[in-house]
């Protein structure tokens, strides 16, 4: 551990321990915050990139159309990066892989720039840095999901048996339920494959403390908090972000193109400019301090009305929700879109349904049905794949 700390000191990065800020719904927030664009400027249909569809094509209304809050970073030349959109300041470099306790030692002992109020970011703060111009092919990195003009981001060390995607960054946000039915976990962002999941705090096989990279943050203590107002007309406005949301959801599971059509056709509260949210906008709604098993509620504010979609064995769960953001993965980049699990991120593992990745996990599905047998279980953990997901529409407050 001391060697890791010495290396990091020589790089000039640090932190002073700050209390964790749980990203929860609170009223009385003094200032709002902006949600940066996803970084996706290409348009996609259900299989690949397309030219700007223009006119009334349903494929016009995806995140490439809504790029009013683009990246705006400043490299301060002292190991810190200012995000001029969110009001957050970041350490330029990642730490080596550390346990959570080792990361806290960093925060107590060293400084970056002239500041001593660094903290481990919450999951919403950390996800603000994601850039979906990235691309991955399974466990191989093609383009990183973070702006490498400003931030360093290693891939996993294949020389010691790691996969390239094994370079995740941990947040301060704990998962309130057990993942894989047994593991206490903490949320992290994978800037190699563009996803959020909860990673075990201890290694499942050895029982030793798990290690991840850390990137420290300071400033804007209210980033990620919501200030919801029930408008009494079937809509909820978040005064923190300036977004208005559909209070209920689609009440039906749809493929991605049908989700775009649904949003485009929605006429609610005398407005017809509803759209499918970007993945960053959608993630702003997630309540990460919820244990679905204990509360039997979805991870939305209670002001929202949420459908149920139980697991195939009848156990309680809630829907996954589509975003308008294409996630480039696999041999046909452009045929998957990102979604968020507002219930358990379920998998069929060892003969039972478990929460594999934690509520609020960001995953991706094919945009179209390959067959009629969904849901199916895929991958080494048996992730439950639906392809038809639910919709909660958004519009910008004028």
């Amino acid at each position: 551990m001391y060697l890791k700390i010495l290396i990091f000191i020589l790089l000039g990065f640090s932190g002073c321990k700050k209390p964790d800020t749980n990203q929860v719904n609170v009223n009385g927030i003094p200032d709002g915050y902006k949600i940066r664009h996803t970084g996706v400027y290409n348009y996609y249909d259900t299989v690949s990139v397309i030219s700007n569809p223009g006119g009334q094509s349903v494929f016009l209304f995806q995140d490439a159309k809504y790029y009013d809050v683009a990246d705006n970073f400043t490299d301060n030349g002292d190991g810190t990066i200012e995000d001029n959109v969110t009001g957050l300041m970041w350490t330029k470099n990642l730490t080596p892989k550390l346990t959570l306790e080792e990361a806290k030692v960093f925060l107590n002992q060293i400084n970056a720039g002239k500041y001593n109020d660094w903290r481990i970011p919450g999951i919403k703060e950390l996800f603000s840095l994601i850039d979906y111009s990235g691309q991955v092919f399974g466990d191989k990195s093609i383009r990183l999901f973070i702006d490498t003009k400003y931030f360093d981001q290693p891939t996993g060390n294949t020389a010691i048996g790691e996969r390239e995607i094994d370079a995740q960054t941990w947040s301060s946000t704990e998962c309130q339920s057990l993942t894989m039915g047994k593991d206490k976990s903490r949320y992290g962002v994978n800037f190699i494959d563009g996803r959020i999941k909860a990673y075990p705090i201890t290694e499942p096989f050895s029982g030793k403390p798990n290690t991840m990279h850390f990137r420290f943050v300071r400033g804007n203590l209210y980033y990620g908090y919501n200030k919801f107002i029930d408008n009494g007309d079937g809509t909820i406005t978040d005064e923190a972000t300036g977004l208005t949301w559909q209070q209920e959801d689609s009440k039906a599971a749809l493929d991605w193109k049908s989700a775009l059509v649904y949003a485009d056709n929605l006429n609610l509260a005398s407005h017809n400019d509803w759209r499918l949210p970007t993945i960053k906008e959608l993630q702003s709604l997630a309540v990460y301090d919820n244990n679905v098993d204990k509360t039997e509620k979805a991870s939305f504010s209670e002001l929202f009305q949420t459908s149920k979609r139980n697991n195939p064995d009848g156990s309680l769960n809630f829907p996954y929700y589509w975003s308008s953001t294409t996630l480039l993965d696999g041999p046909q980049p452009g045929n998957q879109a990102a979604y968020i699990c507002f219930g358990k991120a379920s998998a069929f593992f060892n003969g039972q349904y478990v929460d594999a990745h934690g509520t609020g996990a960001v995953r991706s599905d094919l945009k179209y049905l390959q067959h009629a047998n969904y849901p199916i279980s895929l991958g080494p953990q048996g992730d439950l794949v639906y392809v038809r997901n639910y919709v909660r529409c958004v519009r910008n407050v004028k």
Side-chain angles (χ1 to χ4, degrees):
M1 181 183 79
Y2 296 107
L3 177 59
K4 294 177 182 177
I5 292 175
L6 177 60
I7 292 171
F8 205 62
I9 291 173
L10 292 174
L11 290 174
F13 301 112
S14 85
C16 177
K17 182 178 179 181
K18 292 281 287 185
D20 289 345
T21 52
N22 294 323
Q23 307 299 312
V24 298
N25 305 320
V26 295
N27 290 317
I29 295 174
D31 298 300
Y33 63 95
K34 293 180 180 179
I35 298 174
R36 280 200 299 109
H37 188 249
T38 60
V40 178
Y41 301 105
N42 291 326
Y43 288 87
Y44 296 86
D45 58 16
T46 56
V47 293
S48 61
V49 66
I50 58 175
S51 59
N52 187 325
Q56 296 301 309
S57 168
V58 67
F59 292 116
L60 177 64
F61 302 103
Q62 54 185 283
D63 58 356
K65 179 177 172 62
Y66 307 101
Y67 54 85
D68 55 323
V69 187
D71 287 356
N72 186 355
F73 294 115
T74 299
D75 188 331
N76 297 316
D78 58 0
T80 68
I81 304 296
E82 189 88 39
D83 186 336
N84 301 299
V85 172
T86 65
L88 297 169
M89 181 183 287
W90 296 91
T91 51
K92 181 181 179 71
N93 283 9
L94 282 179
T95 69
K97 285 189 175 182
L98 303 173
T99 68
L100 178 63
E101 294 306 313
E102 289 172 344
K104 290 178 178 178
V105 171
F106 271 47
L107 288 175
N108 277 317
Q109 293 188 356
I110 52 181
N111 293 314
K114 58 184 178 181
Y115 307 102
N116 63 1
D117 58 348
W118 296 97
R119 63 183 184 271
I120 300 172
I123 190 60
K124 290 189 177 181
E125 294 171 319
L126 189 59
F127 194 65
S128 73
L129 293 178
I130 201 83
D131 184 333
Y132 277 92
S133 64
Q135 184 176 349
V136 66
F137 193 133
D139 60 6
K140 303 291 186 182
S141 174
I142 298 175
R143 285 190 305 275
L144 297 173
F145 287 77
I146 193 169
D147 191 336
T148 54
K149 295 191 298 292
Y150 294 95
F151 298 97
D152 83 305
Q153 175 62 61
T155 58
N157 186 353
T158 57
I160 61 172
E162 292 181 340
R163 302 168 299 172
E164 290 186 2
I165 62 173
D166 291 331
Q168 303 90 341
T169 306
W170 245 343
S171 78
S172 65
T173 306
E174 294 183 1
C175 182
Q176 298 302 307
S177 58
L178 298 177
T179 56
M180 304 308 295
K182 58 182 177 57
D183 298 324
K184 291 184 178 180
S185 300
R186 182 174 296 273
Y187 289 100
V189 177
N190 192 327
F191 292 99
I192 316 302
D193 72 5
R195 295 171 171 92
I196 288 176
K197 66 175 290 184
Y199 298 94
I201 295 173
T202 58
E203 295 178 357
F205 297 106
S206 69
K208 297 179 180 178
N210 206 356
T211 60
M212 296 280 172
H213 295 291
F214 289 84
R215 189 184 303 279
F216 302 128
V217 71
R218 62 175 300 276
N220 196 355
L221 295 173
Y222 294 99
Y223 186 91
Y225 287 79
N226 305 105
K227 188 178 181 181
F228 291 126
I229 303 295
D230 187 339
N231 298 314
D233 57 3
T235 70
I236 304 293
T237 295
D238 186 352
E239 292 188 339
T241 63
L243 297 173
T244 292
W245 294 89
Q246 181 186 13
Q247 189 167 25
E248 64 180 18
D249 58 32
S250 58
K251 298 183 179 179
L254 307 167
D255 62 34
W256 189 70
K257 181 178 179 180
S258 299
L260 289 169
V261 171
Y262 171 86
D264 187 39
N265 290 337
L266 182 64
N267 194 320
L268 175 63
S270 300
H271 297 288
N272 61 5
D273 57 347
W274 296 95
R275 57 183 174 82
L276 200 60
T278 71
I279 192 65
K280 287 189 175 182
E281 292 170 333
L282 187 60
Q283 197 251 357
S284 74
L285 294 183
V287 178
Y288 284 95
D289 65 345
N290 180 39
N291 183 325
V292 174
D293 288 321
K294 290 183 178 180
T295 66
E296 297 188 349
K297 296 176 182 177
S299 291
F300 287 108
S301 162
E302 293 186 1
L303 292 176
F304 291 94
Q305 299 165 14
T306 305
S307 299
K308 286 185 179 181
R309 181 166 69 178
N310 291 345
N311 292 322
D313 65 350
S315 57
L316 177 69
N317 207 355
F318 297 93
Y320 305 162
Y321 286 80
W322 279 123
S323 77
S324 66
T325 303
T326 293
L327 194 154
L328 301 178
D329 189 0
Q332 192 171 11
N335 69 350
Q336 296 183 42
Y339 68 84
I340 296 182
C341 309
F342 282 89
K344 293 175 281 189
S346 290
F348 188 68
F349 186 74
N350 286 341
Q352 61 180 335
Y353 287 95
V354 296
D355 186 350
H357 308 297
T359 182
V362 173
R363 315 293 295 161
S364 66
D365 261 355
L366 287 175
K367 295 175 177 177
Y368 55 88
L369 298 171
Q370 289 185 315
H371 49 73
N373 297 325
Y374 295 102
I376 58 175
S377 296
L378 291 178
Q381 294 175 314
D383 291 350
L384 203 59
V385 174
Y386 281 96
V387 178
R388 294 186 184 96
N389 296 314
Y390 283 62
V391 178
R392 193 180 303 279
C393 298
V394 70
R395 62 181 296 270
N396 293 76
V397 177
K398 301 298 183 184

